[in-house]
Amino acid sequence: MNLKVDNYEIIIKENLFFDFDNQIKKVYTGDKLFIVTDDNLFKVYEEKLKNALHSFKLEFVVIPSGENSKSMKIYEKVVSELIRKHIRRNQMIVAFGGGVVGDLAGFVAGTVLRGVPFIQIPTSLLAMVDSSIGGKVGIDLPEGKNLVGLFNNPKVVLIDPNLLQTLPVDEYRNGLAEVIKAGIIGDYSILEYLKKHDKLTINEIIKSIEVKRKIVLKDPFEKNERMYLNFGHTFGHAIERHFDYAIKHGIAVAYGMLIALDEGVKRGITKKELYEEIKALLLRLKLVKEPLLVMKDFVSYIASDKKQLSDGLRFVFMSDYEKPEIHKGVIFDA
């Protein structure tokens, strides 16, 4: 399936890996690709990529796996390596990896030599349904996640769900949190499926992408509706920082969604039944465990959240399924 976002396409197809060469030729006339990936993926896919992208000369830039690579230090190393490899402004960067690789490589592409084109090839569930879509790229600072970044659309996003077959179980579970978020804010049928199944089909992946795609098309630069996609993320990011990123993003967001729903119940915005239903689903899928994390332990971290504006924090509550609400100037008591 091909989905359009602004001036680029998202192509979702099983076994698309074996057509990467032709798909890239549609958006790029050069003969060299600079592939940014992590060390784990490089071990598995180096030779496979050389075979799949046989029309191109490949230059690999390999970063350590994990959230800590979304840093100024690694950003500088990647840029320096690209310069040493003689990248030119008309040459293409390929982000081959999960959310960390995609965010970092996209930010590098938007800034090295004042900008070079790039392609997203997400290899994790989280990246397929969320981070590779919408053009938001960036890196973390010690003060918080994604505090340095920009909007930089790829030339194309190539999604082959079969790449998930090599994904570790904990990374697959990590991505399920973003799928559940999509179900809560935009398509309840996703949640109905997950009540009975642990593994997604390509249909649920497409539905999750569609939720984000529709929102991004309405609000490409996060002035209003795109903030819906931040549901669960304010406290999710705070939880990640509290644990120095030892906890997976998706797990942190799962707890963050429960905190947001619980706070919505306390404020009379969210139905108690909605909170209980999502709690049961997250427990069943082993995205959270009891005793649950509680809000008061993470309030101190949200002052530097990137969703803060001059008149206070914008926070996403749920009045019902598929009915997110942005509340302004929200204050949380520790």
Side-chain angles (χ1 to χ4, degrees), residues 28-64:
Y28 179 55
T29 58
D31 62 355
K32 181 184 284 190
L33 296 172
F34 293 83
I35 299 180
V36 179
T37 190
D38 69 38
D39 48 10
N40 290 335
L41 288 164
F42 182 69
K43 293 173 187 175
V44 176
Y45 285 103
E46 179 187 10
E47 293 305 319
K48 294 177 182 178
L49 284 169
K50 288 177 180 178
N51 291 330
L53 300 173
H54 54 84
S55 296
F56 301 96
K57 179 181 178 182
L58 306 185
E59 294 279 2
F60 288 92
V61 178
V62 182
I63 66 171

PDB file of all heavy atoms in Angstrom, residues 28-64:
ATOM      1  N   TYR A  28      15.792   8.985  -6.418  1.00  0.00           N
ATOM      2  CA  TYR A  28      17.219   9.332  -6.327  1.00  0.00           C
ATOM      3  C   TYR A  28      17.940   8.847  -7.573  1.00  0.00           C
ATOM      4  O   TYR A  28      17.841   7.670  -7.936  1.00  0.00           O
ATOM      5  CB  TYR A  28      17.813   8.689  -5.074  1.00  0.00           C
ATOM      6  CG  TYR A  28      19.281   8.917  -4.848  1.00  0.00           C
ATOM      7  CD1 TYR A  28      19.816  10.206  -4.800  1.00  0.00           C
ATOM      8  CD2 TYR A  28      20.153   7.840  -4.649  1.00  0.00           C
ATOM      9  CE1 TYR A  28      21.177  10.407  -4.574  1.00  0.00           C
ATOM     10  CE2 TYR A  28      21.496   8.034  -4.409  1.00  0.00           C
ATOM     11  CZ  TYR A  28      22.013   9.326  -4.374  1.00  0.00           C
ATOM     12  OH  TYR A  28      23.354   9.522  -4.147  1.00  0.00           O
ATOM     13  N   THR A  29      18.661   9.755  -8.220  1.00  0.00           N
ATOM     14  CA  THR A  29      19.370   9.408  -9.460  1.00  0.00           C
ATOM     15  C   THR A  29      20.861   9.177  -9.248  1.00  0.00           C
ATOM     16  O   THR A  29      21.575   8.852 -10.201  1.00  0.00           O
ATOM     17  CB  THR A  29      19.183  10.521 -10.506  1.00  0.00           C
ATOM     18  OG1 THR A  29      19.680  11.763  -9.971  1.00  0.00           O
ATOM     19  CG2 THR A  29      17.714  10.679 -10.882  1.00  0.00           C
ATOM     20  N   GLY A  30      21.342   9.331  -8.024  1.00  0.00           N
ATOM     21  CA  GLY A  30      22.764   9.146  -7.754  1.00  0.00           C
ATOM     22  C   GLY A  30      23.149   7.683  -7.697  1.00  0.00           C
ATOM     23  O   GLY A  30      22.309   6.778  -7.772  1.00  0.00           O
ATOM     24  N   ASP A  31      24.470   7.432  -7.513  1.00  0.00           N
ATOM     25  CA  ASP A  31      24.955   6.053  -7.487  1.00  0.00           C
ATOM     26  C   ASP A  31      25.566   5.653  -6.150  1.00  0.00           C
ATOM     27  O   ASP A  31      26.088   4.551  -6.009  1.00  0.00           O
ATOM     28  CB  ASP A  31      25.989   5.837  -8.606  1.00  0.00           C
ATOM     29  CG  ASP A  31      27.229   6.712  -8.438  1.00  0.00           C
ATOM     30  OD1 ASP A  31      27.249   7.553  -7.509  1.00  0.00           O
ATOM     31  OD2 ASP A  31      28.163   6.560  -9.240  1.00  0.00           O
ATOM     32  N   LYS A  32      25.475   6.555  -5.132  1.00  0.00           N
ATOM     33  CA  LYS A  32      26.054   6.247  -3.830  1.00  0.00           C
ATOM     34  C   LYS A  32      25.031   6.521  -2.739  1.00  0.00           C
ATOM     35  O   LYS A  32      24.317   7.524  -2.774  1.00  0.00           O
ATOM     36  CB  LYS A  32      27.322   7.074  -3.592  1.00  0.00           C
ATOM     37  CG  LYS A  32      27.999   6.781  -2.251  1.00  0.00           C
ATOM     38  CD  LYS A  32      29.198   7.672  -2.005  1.00  0.00           C
ATOM     39  CE  LYS A  32      30.396   7.246  -2.821  1.00  0.00           C
ATOM     40  NZ  LYS A  32      31.641   7.969  -2.400  1.00  0.00           N
ATOM     41  N   LEU A  33      24.971   5.623  -1.746  1.00  0.00           N
ATOM     42  CA  LEU A  33      24.102   5.787  -0.587  1.00  0.00           C
ATOM     43  C   LEU A  33      24.937   5.748   0.689  1.00  0.00           C
ATOM     44  O   LEU A  33      25.829   4.905   0.823  1.00  0.00           O
ATOM     45  CB  LEU A  33      23.061   4.667  -0.517  1.00  0.00           C
ATOM     46  CG  LEU A  33      22.042   4.575  -1.655  1.00  0.00           C
ATOM     47  CD1 LEU A  33      21.223   3.297  -1.519  1.00  0.00           C
ATOM     48  CD2 LEU A  33      21.137   5.788  -1.688  1.00  0.00           C
ATOM     49  N   PHE A  34      24.645   6.642   1.611  1.00  0.00           N
ATOM     50  CA  PHE A  34      25.287   6.662   2.918  1.00  0.00           C
ATOM     51  C   PHE A  34      24.283   6.107   3.928  1.00  0.00           C
ATOM     52  O   PHE A  34      23.300   6.770   4.260  1.00  0.00           O
ATOM     53  CB  PHE A  34      25.710   8.078   3.293  1.00  0.00           C
ATOM     54  CG  PHE A  34      26.811   8.619   2.417  1.00  0.00           C
ATOM     55  CD1 PHE A  34      26.518   9.188   1.181  1.00  0.00           C
ATOM     56  CD2 PHE A  34      28.137   8.548   2.816  1.00  0.00           C
ATOM     57  CE1 PHE A  34      27.529   9.677   0.367  1.00  0.00           C
ATOM     58  CE2 PHE A  34      29.166   9.039   2.010  1.00  0.00           C
ATOM     59  CZ  PHE A  34      28.853   9.596   0.781  1.00  0.00           C
ATOM     60  N   ILE A  35      24.516   4.901   4.375  1.00  0.00           N
ATOM     61  CA  ILE A  35      23.563   4.202   5.241  1.00  0.00           C
ATOM     62  C   ILE A  35      23.962   4.377   6.702  1.00  0.00           C
ATOM     63  O   ILE A  35      25.037   3.945   7.119  1.00  0.00           O
ATOM     64  CB  ILE A  35      23.475   2.715   4.893  1.00  0.00           C
ATOM     65  CG1 ILE A  35      22.994   2.557   3.449  1.00  0.00           C
ATOM     66  CG2 ILE A  35      22.538   1.986   5.866  1.00  0.00           C
ATOM     67  CD1 ILE A  35      22.873   1.124   2.986  1.00  0.00           C
ATOM     68  N   VAL A  36      23.088   5.021   7.464  1.00  0.00           N
ATOM     69  CA  VAL A  36      23.289   5.164   8.902  1.00  0.00           C
ATOM     70  C   VAL A  36      22.479   4.070   9.586  1.00  0.00           C
ATOM     71  O   VAL A  36      21.268   3.944   9.373  1.00  0.00           O
ATOM     72  CB  VAL A  36      22.842   6.549   9.401  1.00  0.00           C
ATOM     73  CG1 VAL A  36      23.054   6.653  10.918  1.00  0.00           C
ATOM     74  CG2 VAL A  36      23.611   7.654   8.676  1.00  0.00           C
ATOM     75  N   THR A  37      23.145   3.253  10.391  1.00  0.00           N
ATOM     76  CA  THR A  37      22.481   2.158  11.082  1.00  0.00           C
ATOM     77  C   THR A  37      23.179   1.928  12.420  1.00  0.00           C
ATOM     78  O   THR A  37      24.180   2.589  12.725  1.00  0.00           O
ATOM     79  CB  THR A  37      22.491   0.882  10.203  1.00  0.00           C
ATOM     80  OG1 THR A  37      21.633  -0.098  10.792  1.00  0.00           O
ATOM     81  CG2 THR A  37      23.888   0.310  10.047  1.00  0.00           C
ATOM     82  N   ASP A  38      22.650   1.008  13.225  1.00  0.00           N
ATOM     83  CA  ASP A  38      23.324   0.733  14.501  1.00  0.00           C
ATOM     84  C   ASP A  38      24.123  -0.569  14.431  1.00  0.00           C
ATOM     85  O   ASP A  38      23.997  -1.340  13.472  1.00  0.00           O
ATOM     86  CB  ASP A  38      22.334   0.751  15.677  1.00  0.00           C
ATOM     87  CG  ASP A  38      21.349  -0.403  15.683  1.00  0.00           C
ATOM     88  OD1 ASP A  38      21.742  -1.534  15.322  1.00  0.00           O
ATOM     89  OD2 ASP A  38      20.183  -0.198  16.061  1.00  0.00           O
ATOM     90  N   ASP A  39      24.933  -0.786  15.431  1.00  0.00           N
ATOM     91  CA  ASP A  39      25.869  -1.921  15.389  1.00  0.00           C
ATOM     92  C   ASP A  39      25.161  -3.271  15.360  1.00  0.00           C
ATOM     93  O   ASP A  39      25.631  -4.205  14.700  1.00  0.00           O
ATOM     94  CB  ASP A  39      26.884  -1.843  16.541  1.00  0.00           C
ATOM     95  CG  ASP A  39      26.256  -1.571  17.896  1.00  0.00           C
ATOM     96  OD1 ASP A  39      25.001  -1.628  18.016  1.00  0.00           O
ATOM     97  OD2 ASP A  39      27.001  -1.297  18.853  1.00  0.00           O
ATOM     98  N   ASN A  40      24.025  -3.392  16.040  1.00  0.00           N
ATOM     99  CA  ASN A  40      23.294  -4.662  16.014  1.00  0.00           C
ATOM    100  C   ASN A  40      22.748  -4.969  14.623  1.00  0.00           C
ATOM    101  O   ASN A  40      22.876  -6.096  14.127  1.00  0.00           O
ATOM    102  CB  ASN A  40      22.138  -4.636  17.025  1.00  0.00           C
ATOM    103  CG  ASN A  40      22.628  -4.671  18.456  1.00  0.00           C
ATOM    104  OD1 ASN A  40      23.721  -5.154  18.745  1.00  0.00           O
ATOM    105  ND2 ASN A  40      21.830  -4.165  19.367  1.00  0.00           N
ATOM    106  N   LEU A  41      22.146  -3.985  14.001  1.00  0.00           N
ATOM    107  CA  LEU A  41      21.583  -4.179  12.665  1.00  0.00           C
ATOM    108  C   LEU A  41      22.671  -4.389  11.621  1.00  0.00           C
ATOM    109  O   LEU A  41      22.499  -5.168  10.677  1.00  0.00           O
ATOM    110  CB  LEU A  41      20.715  -2.975  12.282  1.00  0.00           C
ATOM    111  CG  LEU A  41      19.389  -2.879  13.018  1.00  0.00           C
ATOM    112  CD1 LEU A  41      18.796  -1.482  12.859  1.00  0.00           C
ATOM    113  CD2 LEU A  41      18.402  -3.922  12.525  1.00  0.00           C
ATOM    114  N   PHE A  42      23.781  -3.712  11.790  1.00  0.00           N
ATOM    115  CA  PHE A  42      24.887  -3.841  10.837  1.00  0.00           C
ATOM    116  C   PHE A  42      25.373  -5.291  10.771  1.00  0.00           C
ATOM    117  O   PHE A  42      25.653  -5.817   9.691  1.00  0.00           O
ATOM    118  CB  PHE A  42      26.027  -2.907  11.242  1.00  0.00           C
ATOM    119  CG  PHE A  42      27.197  -2.921  10.295  1.00  0.00           C
ATOM    120  CD1 PHE A  42      27.086  -2.391   9.015  1.00  0.00           C
ATOM    121  CD2 PHE A  42      28.411  -3.464  10.686  1.00  0.00           C
ATOM    122  CE1 PHE A  42      28.162  -2.402   8.144  1.00  0.00           C
ATOM    123  CE2 PHE A  42      29.488  -3.485   9.827  1.00  0.00           C
ATOM    124  CZ  PHE A  42      29.364  -2.947   8.549  1.00  0.00           C
ATOM    125  N   LYS A  43      25.455  -5.946  11.919  1.00  0.00           N
ATOM    126  CA  LYS A  43      25.908  -7.335  11.950  1.00  0.00           C
ATOM    127  C   LYS A  43      24.966  -8.248  11.166  1.00  0.00           C
ATOM    128  O   LYS A  43      25.398  -9.189  10.505  1.00  0.00           O
ATOM    129  CB  LYS A  43      26.007  -7.827  13.395  1.00  0.00           C
ATOM    130  CG  LYS A  43      27.092  -7.147  14.217  1.00  0.00           C
ATOM    131  CD  LYS A  43      27.001  -7.567  15.687  1.00  0.00           C
ATOM    132  CE  LYS A  43      27.971  -6.776  16.550  1.00  0.00           C
ATOM    133  NZ  LYS A  43      27.796  -7.090  17.994  1.00  0.00           N
ATOM    134  N   VAL A  44      23.673  -7.971  11.246  1.00  0.00           N
ATOM    135  CA  VAL A  44      22.671  -8.837  10.613  1.00  0.00           C
ATOM    136  C   VAL A  44      22.466  -8.500   9.135  1.00  0.00           C
ATOM    137  O   VAL A  44      22.290  -9.396   8.300  1.00  0.00           O
ATOM    138  CB  VAL A  44      21.326  -8.726  11.369  1.00  0.00           C
ATOM    139  CG1 VAL A  44      20.241  -9.554  10.669  1.00  0.00           C
ATOM    140  CG2 VAL A  44      21.480  -9.165  12.820  1.00  0.00           C
ATOM    141  N   TYR A  45      22.525  -7.208   8.811  1.00  0.00           N
ATOM    142  CA  TYR A  45      22.042  -6.778   7.493  1.00  0.00           C
ATOM    143  C   TYR A  45      23.108  -6.245   6.540  1.00  0.00           C
ATOM    144  O   TYR A  45      22.781  -5.884   5.414  1.00  0.00           O
ATOM    145  CB  TYR A  45      20.965  -5.702   7.669  1.00  0.00           C
ATOM    146  CG  TYR A  45      19.634  -6.247   8.123  1.00  0.00           C
ATOM    147  CD1 TYR A  45      19.223  -6.122   9.456  1.00  0.00           C
ATOM    148  CD2 TYR A  45      18.788  -6.899   7.234  1.00  0.00           C
ATOM    149  CE1 TYR A  45      18.007  -6.629   9.881  1.00  0.00           C
ATOM    150  CE2 TYR A  45      17.566  -7.396   7.641  1.00  0.00           C
ATOM    151  CZ  TYR A  45      17.172  -7.264   8.968  1.00  0.00           C
ATOM    152  OH  TYR A  45      15.962  -7.758   9.377  1.00  0.00           O
ATOM    153  N   GLU A  46      24.362  -6.204   6.948  1.00  0.00           N
ATOM    154  CA  GLU A  46      25.378  -5.623   6.057  1.00  0.00           C
ATOM    155  C   GLU A  46      25.352  -6.290   4.671  1.00  0.00           C
ATOM    156  O   GLU A  46      25.209  -5.623   3.633  1.00  0.00           O
ATOM    157  CB  GLU A  46      26.772  -5.739   6.667  1.00  0.00           C
ATOM    158  CG  GLU A  46      27.839  -5.156   5.741  1.00  0.00           C
ATOM    159  CD  GLU A  46      29.262  -5.408   6.227  1.00  0.00           C
ATOM    160  OE1 GLU A  46      29.433  -6.201   7.200  1.00  0.00           O
ATOM    161  OE2 GLU A  46      30.187  -4.837   5.626  1.00  0.00           O
ATOM    162  N   GLU A  47      25.514  -7.589   4.625  1.00  0.00           N
ATOM    163  CA  GLU A  47      25.566  -8.289   3.339  1.00  0.00           C
ATOM    164  C   GLU A  47      24.206  -8.291   2.643  1.00  0.00           C
ATOM    165  O   GLU A  47      24.135  -8.181   1.406  1.00  0.00           O
ATOM    166  CB  GLU A  47      26.059  -9.728   3.535  1.00  0.00           C
ATOM    167  CG  GLU A  47      27.518  -9.812   3.983  1.00  0.00           C
ATOM    168  CD  GLU A  47      28.473  -9.086   3.042  1.00  0.00           C
ATOM    169  OE1 GLU A  47      28.283  -9.205   1.809  1.00  0.00           O
ATOM    170  OE2 GLU A  47      29.378  -8.404   3.531  1.00  0.00           O
ATOM    171  N   LYS A  48      23.144  -8.399   3.416  1.00  0.00           N
ATOM    172  CA  LYS A  48      21.801  -8.375   2.830  1.00  0.00           C
ATOM    173  C   LYS A  48      21.514  -7.047   2.149  1.00  0.00           C
ATOM    174  O   LYS A  48      20.897  -6.998   1.073  1.00  0.00           O
ATOM    175  CB  LYS A  48      20.759  -8.664   3.908  1.00  0.00           C
ATOM    176  CG  LYS A  48      20.826 -10.074   4.479  1.00  0.00           C
ATOM    177  CD  LYS A  48      19.809 -10.275   5.588  1.00  0.00           C
ATOM    178  CE  LYS A  48      19.919 -11.666   6.186  1.00  0.00           C
ATOM    179  NZ  LYS A  48      18.956 -11.869   7.302  1.00  0.00           N
ATOM    180  N   LEU A  49      21.952  -5.964   2.762  1.00  0.00           N
ATOM    181  CA  LEU A  49      21.758  -4.649   2.155  1.00  0.00           C
ATOM    182  C   LEU A  49      22.602  -4.483   0.896  1.00  0.00           C
ATOM    183  O   LEU A  49      22.154  -3.885  -0.097  1.00  0.00           O
ATOM    184  CB  LEU A  49      22.079  -3.548   3.167  1.00  0.00           C
ATOM    185  CG  LEU A  49      21.017  -3.301   4.238  1.00  0.00           C
ATOM    186  CD1 LEU A  49      21.559  -2.392   5.331  1.00  0.00           C
ATOM    187  CD2 LEU A  49      19.751  -2.697   3.632  1.00  0.00           C
ATOM    188  N   LYS A  50      23.805  -4.999   0.932  1.00  0.00           N
ATOM    189  CA  LYS A  50      24.651  -4.927  -0.260  1.00  0.00           C
ATOM    190  C   LYS A  50      24.005  -5.653  -1.432  1.00  0.00           C
ATOM    191  O   LYS A  50      24.064  -5.196  -2.580  1.00  0.00           O
ATOM    192  CB  LYS A  50      26.037  -5.516   0.036  1.00  0.00           C
ATOM    193  CG  LYS A  50      26.902  -4.641   0.926  1.00  0.00           C
ATOM    194  CD  LYS A  50      28.231  -5.326   1.228  1.00  0.00           C
ATOM    195  CE  LYS A  50      29.114  -4.458   2.127  1.00  0.00           C
ATOM    196  NZ  LYS A  50      30.396  -5.138   2.469  1.00  0.00           N
ATOM    197  N   ASN A  51      23.359  -6.769  -1.151  1.00  0.00           N
ATOM    198  CA  ASN A  51      22.674  -7.520  -2.204  1.00  0.00           C
ATOM    199  C   ASN A  51      21.397  -6.818  -2.650  1.00  0.00           C
ATOM    200  O   ASN A  51      21.109  -6.734  -3.856  1.00  0.00           O
ATOM    201  CB  ASN A  51      22.340  -8.934  -1.722  1.00  0.00           C
ATOM    202  CG  ASN A  51      23.575  -9.793  -1.538  1.00  0.00           C
ATOM    203  OD1 ASN A  51      24.574  -9.607  -2.230  1.00  0.00           O
ATOM    204  ND2 ASN A  51      23.520 -10.722  -0.596  1.00  0.00           N
ATOM    205  N   ALA A  52      20.627  -6.319  -1.682  1.00  0.00           N
ATOM    206  CA  ALA A  52      19.358  -5.682  -2.019  1.00  0.00           C
ATOM    207  C   ALA A  52      19.564  -4.362  -2.761  1.00  0.00           C
ATOM    208  O   ALA A  52      18.767  -4.004  -3.633  1.00  0.00           O
ATOM    209  CB  ALA A  52      18.549  -5.442  -0.744  1.00  0.00           C
ATOM    210  N   LEU A  53      20.625  -3.641  -2.426  1.00  0.00           N
ATOM    211  CA  LEU A  53      20.894  -2.330  -3.035  1.00  0.00           C
ATOM    212  C   LEU A  53      22.073  -2.441  -3.998  1.00  0.00           C
ATOM    213  O   LEU A  53      23.000  -1.631  -3.990  1.00  0.00           O
ATOM    214  CB  LEU A  53      21.178  -1.306  -1.932  1.00  0.00           C
ATOM    215  CG  LEU A  53      20.035  -1.106  -0.917  1.00  0.00           C
ATOM    216  CD1 LEU A  53      20.475  -0.201   0.223  1.00  0.00           C
ATOM    217  CD2 LEU A  53      18.797  -0.539  -1.593  1.00  0.00           C
ATOM    218  N   HIS A  54      22.020  -3.417  -4.843  1.00  0.00           N
ATOM    219  CA  HIS A  54      23.165  -3.762  -5.694  1.00  0.00           C
ATOM    220  C   HIS A  54      23.496  -2.693  -6.727  1.00  0.00           C
ATOM    221  O   HIS A  54      24.602  -2.666  -7.264  1.00  0.00           O
ATOM    222  CB  HIS A  54      22.900  -5.093  -6.403  1.00  0.00           C
ATOM    223  CG  HIS A  54      21.609  -5.123  -7.171  1.00  0.00           C
ATOM    224  ND1 HIS A  54      21.492  -4.646  -8.445  1.00  0.00           N
ATOM    225  CD2 HIS A  54      20.376  -5.569  -6.799  1.00  0.00           C
ATOM    226  CE1 HIS A  54      20.228  -4.794  -8.849  1.00  0.00           C
ATOM    227  NE2 HIS A  54      19.540  -5.353  -7.879  1.00  0.00           N
ATOM    228  N   SER A  55      22.572  -1.787  -7.014  1.00  0.00           N
ATOM    229  CA  SER A  55      22.831  -0.741  -8.010  1.00  0.00           C
ATOM    230  C   SER A  55      23.666   0.413  -7.462  1.00  0.00           C
ATOM    231  O   SER A  55      24.122   1.260  -8.221  1.00  0.00           O
ATOM    232  CB  SER A  55      21.510  -0.174  -8.554  1.00  0.00           C
ATOM    233  OG  SER A  55      20.784  -1.149  -9.246  1.00  0.00           O
ATOM    234  N   PHE A  56      23.835   0.431  -6.140  1.00  0.00           N
ATOM    235  CA  PHE A  56      24.481   1.571  -5.497  1.00  0.00           C
ATOM    236  C   PHE A  56      25.783   1.171  -4.806  1.00  0.00           C
ATOM    237  O   PHE A  56      25.930   0.040  -4.346  1.00  0.00           O
ATOM    238  CB  PHE A  56      23.547   2.177  -4.441  1.00  0.00           C
ATOM    239  CG  PHE A  56      22.229   2.645  -4.973  1.00  0.00           C
ATOM    240  CD1 PHE A  56      21.106   1.822  -4.907  1.00  0.00           C
ATOM    241  CD2 PHE A  56      22.101   3.900  -5.538  1.00  0.00           C
ATOM    242  CE1 PHE A  56      19.886   2.253  -5.396  1.00  0.00           C
ATOM    243  CE2 PHE A  56      20.880   4.339  -6.028  1.00  0.00           C
ATOM    244  CZ  PHE A  56      19.768   3.508  -5.968  1.00  0.00           C
ATOM    245  N   LYS A  57      26.686   2.130  -4.741  1.00  0.00           N
ATOM    246  CA  LYS A  57      27.847   1.988  -3.874  1.00  0.00           C
ATOM    247  C   LYS A  57      27.410   2.399  -2.470  1.00  0.00           C
ATOM    248  O   LYS A  57      26.835   3.472  -2.281  1.00  0.00           O
ATOM    249  CB  LYS A  57      29.000   2.874  -4.343  1.00  0.00           C
ATOM    250  CG  LYS A  57      30.237   2.763  -3.448  1.00  0.00           C
ATOM    251  CD  LYS A  57      31.360   3.671  -3.917  1.00  0.00           C
ATOM    252  CE  LYS A  57      32.562   3.571  -2.969  1.00  0.00           C
ATOM    253  NZ  LYS A  57      33.669   4.480  -3.371  1.00  0.00           N
ATOM    254  N   LEU A  58      27.681   1.549  -1.493  1.00  0.00           N
ATOM    255  CA  LEU A  58      27.225   1.807  -0.132  1.00  0.00           C
ATOM    256  C   LEU A  58      28.362   2.230   0.777  1.00  0.00           C
ATOM    257  O   LEU A  58      29.437   1.628   0.766  1.00  0.00           O
ATOM    258  CB  LEU A  58      26.557   0.554   0.452  1.00  0.00           C
ATOM    259  CG  LEU A  58      25.416  -0.080  -0.346  1.00  0.00           C
ATOM    260  CD1 LEU A  58      24.793  -1.223   0.449  1.00  0.00           C
ATOM    261  CD2 LEU A  58      24.367   0.945  -0.723  1.00  0.00           C
ATOM    262  N   GLU A  59      28.097   3.267   1.558  1.00  0.00           N
ATOM    263  CA  GLU A  59      28.997   3.691   2.629  1.00  0.00           C
ATOM    264  C   GLU A  59      28.220   3.571   3.930  1.00  0.00           C
ATOM    265  O   GLU A  59      27.152   4.178   4.083  1.00  0.00           O
ATOM    266  CB  GLU A  59      29.452   5.134   2.430  1.00  0.00           C
ATOM    267  CG  GLU A  59      30.318   5.372   1.212  1.00  0.00           C
ATOM    268  CD  GLU A  59      31.778   4.988   1.436  1.00  0.00           C
ATOM    269  OE1 GLU A  59      32.092   4.496   2.549  1.00  0.00           O
ATOM    270  OE2 GLU A  59      32.588   5.194   0.523  1.00  0.00           O
ATOM    271  N   PHE A  60      28.719   2.783   4.878  1.00  0.00           N
ATOM    272  CA  PHE A  60      28.032   2.575   6.141  1.00  0.00           C
ATOM    273  C   PHE A  60      28.594   3.490   7.231  1.00  0.00           C
ATOM    274  O   PHE A  60      29.813   3.632   7.365  1.00  0.00           O
ATOM    275  CB  PHE A  60      28.155   1.121   6.596  1.00  0.00           C
ATOM    276  CG  PHE A  60      27.336   0.157   5.796  1.00  0.00           C
ATOM    277  CD1 PHE A  60      27.881  -0.485   4.684  1.00  0.00           C
ATOM    278  CD2 PHE A  60      26.022  -0.108   6.142  1.00  0.00           C
ATOM    279  CE1 PHE A  60      27.131  -1.378   3.945  1.00  0.00           C
ATOM    280  CE2 PHE A  60      25.255  -1.003   5.409  1.00  0.00           C
ATOM    281  CZ  PHE A  60      25.816  -1.640   4.293  1.00  0.00           C
ATOM    282  N   VAL A  61      27.696   4.089   7.991  1.00  0.00           N
ATOM    283  CA  VAL A  61      28.059   4.827   9.201  1.00  0.00           C
ATOM    284  C   VAL A  61      27.326   4.145  10.345  1.00  0.00           C
ATOM    285  O   VAL A  61      26.081   4.158  10.397  1.00  0.00           O
ATOM    286  CB  VAL A  61      27.667   6.313   9.111  1.00  0.00           C
ATOM    287  CG1 VAL A  61      28.016   7.033  10.406  1.00  0.00           C
ATOM    288  CG2 VAL A  61      28.349   6.974   7.920  1.00  0.00           C
ATOM    289  N   VAL A  62      28.063   3.521  11.249  1.00  0.00           N
ATOM    290  CA  VAL A  62      27.478   2.655  12.274  1.00  0.00           C
ATOM    291  C   VAL A  62      27.585   3.320  13.643  1.00  0.00           C
ATOM    292  O   VAL A  62      28.665   3.764  14.052  1.00  0.00           O
ATOM    293  CB  VAL A  62      28.189   1.286  12.290  1.00  0.00           C
ATOM    294  CG1 VAL A  62      27.543   0.369  13.330  1.00  0.00           C
ATOM    295  CG2 VAL A  62      28.131   0.633  10.898  1.00  0.00           C
ATOM    296  N   ILE A  63      26.446   3.378  14.341  1.00  0.00           N
ATOM    297  CA  ILE A  63      26.404   3.986  15.669  1.00  0.00           C
ATOM    298  C   ILE A  63      26.082   2.912  16.711  1.00  0.00           C
ATOM    299  O   ILE A  63      25.545   1.853  16.366  1.00  0.00           O
ATOM    300  CB  ILE A  63      25.353   5.116  15.737  1.00  0.00           C
ATOM    301  CG1 ILE A  63      23.934   4.536  15.555  1.00  0.00           C
ATOM    302  CG2 ILE A  63      25.649   6.190  14.706  1.00  0.00           C
ATOM    303  CD1 ILE A  63      22.825   5.524  15.830  1.00  0.00           C
ATOM    304  N   PRO A  64      26.393   3.149  17.983  1.00  0.00           N
ATOM    305  CA  PRO A  64      25.984   2.201  19.023  1.00  0.00           C
ATOM    306  C   PRO A  64      24.469   2.148  19.118  1.00  0.00           C
ATOM    307  O   PRO A  64      23.782   3.167  18.949  1.00  0.00           O
ATOM    308  CB  PRO A  64      26.600   2.786  20.304  1.00  0.00           C
ATOM    309  CG  PRO A  64      27.663   3.721  19.831  1.00  0.00           C
ATOM    310  CD  PRO A  64      27.205   4.265  18.527  1.00  0.00           C
TER     311      PRO A  64
END
